[in-house]
Amino acid sequence: MAQQDRAIRTRRVILEAAASVFDEQGYGRATIAEVLERAGVTKGALYFHFASKEQLALAVIEEQVVDIAVQPQTIKLQEFVDSGQVLAFRLRSDPIQRGAARLAVEQGSNHLDRKQSMLSWTRFVEGLLNDARSRGEILESVVVGETAELFVGAFAGLQMMSQALTNRADLSRRLTVFFEHTLPSIAVPAILAKLNLDSERGAQLDAALQAKAVVKVAADADAGVAAG
């Protein structure tokens, strides 16, 4: 079990190091050597988890969606809003989110399958919106697939603009403005009135999620000691 835990931690360290390099250098200029130096691991350790730079980049993109898991809410559309705001907040400094974002939108001629990021986010948003529909939270006229694609595409554009102008410092506010303009055409009025669109919500939710993660790590460690 201890060996498995070390392997999981090593994989995460490599992913975060790679994401930082991709964020700073882009896919084309990033090198395995720089990832190794940043992660502080051996070449054997890296290749145990990832067979190539492309596989490493795709893993960063996949991890971006996995990392966004907010607390369940009574209103499913609030989870939709919360997921966007947590992502907007984490894009300021989280290496996985920043690296994946650059990989997803970076232009250039290489063999990296960038569409996977957009497809993964679209499926994630579709799931939230379909749950909201099953609870009667969104208007009957809403086409879930098209709405999910609109959100994902708009968010990609918002974060690129925010990155260029303020290094994403104002992304949470820009996302709130987007929600204020689009949610009235999606949400049932009674639900819309209950949604919290505060641009500071992402920071608050992230702090709560991080605290919960720390508690879980401590509990897992205690369980491991007890089992030993």
Side-chain angles (χ1 to χ4, degrees):
M1 181 64 72
Q3 186 175 1
Q4 183 181 17
D5 289 343
R6 282 197 298 272
I8 292 172
R9 288 195 297 270
T10 298
R11 183 180 186 276
R12 182 69 184 194
V13 167
I14 294 169
L15 275 179
E16 291 186 354
S20 294
V21 174
F22 290 136
D23 178 37
E24 296 166 13
Q25 305 292 338
Y27 181 80
R29 293 175 57 197
T31 66
I32 290 294
E34 190 168 0
V35 174
L36 290 172
E37 181 179 355
R38 191 78 58 96
V41 300
T42 65
K43 186 180 292 186
L46 187 147
Y47 282 115
F48 174 79
H49 292 283
F50 307 102
S52 65
K53 184 173 79 168
E54 180 182 4
Q55 196 176 97
L56 188 53
L58 291 174
V60 169
I61 289 174
E62 180 180 348
E63 198 74 12
Q64 183 188 33
V65 180
V66 173
D67 272 1
I68 302 298
V70 299
Q71 292 294 320
Q73 300 290 330
T74 304
I75 299 174
K76 207 68 181 179
L77 270 184
Q78 186 66 60
E79 287 184 43
F80 168 63
V81 171
D82 290 351
S83 297
Q85 288 292 11
V86 168
L87 176 57
F89 176 75
R90 289 185 178 176
L91 275 167
R92 299 182 195 179
S93 59
D94 184 275
I96 295 291
Q97 300 303 328
R98 291 178 67 91
R102 175 157 183 178
L103 288 170
V105 301
E106 183 183 39
Q107 300 299 309
S109 91
N110 55 63
H111 301 294
L112 184 62
D113 182 11
R114 289 190 174 82
K115 69 177 181 289
Q116 189 56 47
S117 176
M118 299 298 181
L119 292 174
S120 294
W121 276 115
T122 299
R123 286 192 293 268
F124 177 80
V125 174
E126 279 184 350
L128 290 174
L129 293 179
N130 278 322
D131 286 345
R133 162 156 283 168
S134 69
R135 298 185 187 192
E137 298 175 3
I138 63 176
L139 301 170
E140 287 296 325
S141 59
V142 172
V143 179
V144 168
E146 292 178 355
T147 303
E149 289 183 351
L150 171 65
F151 175 77
V152 172
F155 189 93
L158 285 173
Q159 69 91 11
M160 289 176 68
M161 185 175 186
S162 181
Q163 167 69 8
L165 296 177
T166 67
N167 195 28
R168 299 194 181 102
D170 67 352
L171 180 54
S172 296
R173 179 56 194 160
R174 289 180 184 276
L175 183 58
T176 292
V177 172
F178 174 72
F179 280 140
E180 289 171 345
H181 281 74
T182 57
L183 285 177
S185 66
I186 298 171
V188 170
I191 295 295
L192 180 65
K194 297 177 181 179
L195 296 178
N196 184 346
L197 307 182
D198 186 359
S199 59
E200 296 301 317
R201 188 168 171 82
Q204 296 162 3
L205 290 168
D206 183 69
L209 289 169
Q210 297 301 330
K212 184 177 180 180
V214 169
V215 171
K216 184 179 184 304
V217 169
D220 290 346
D222 289 343
V225 171

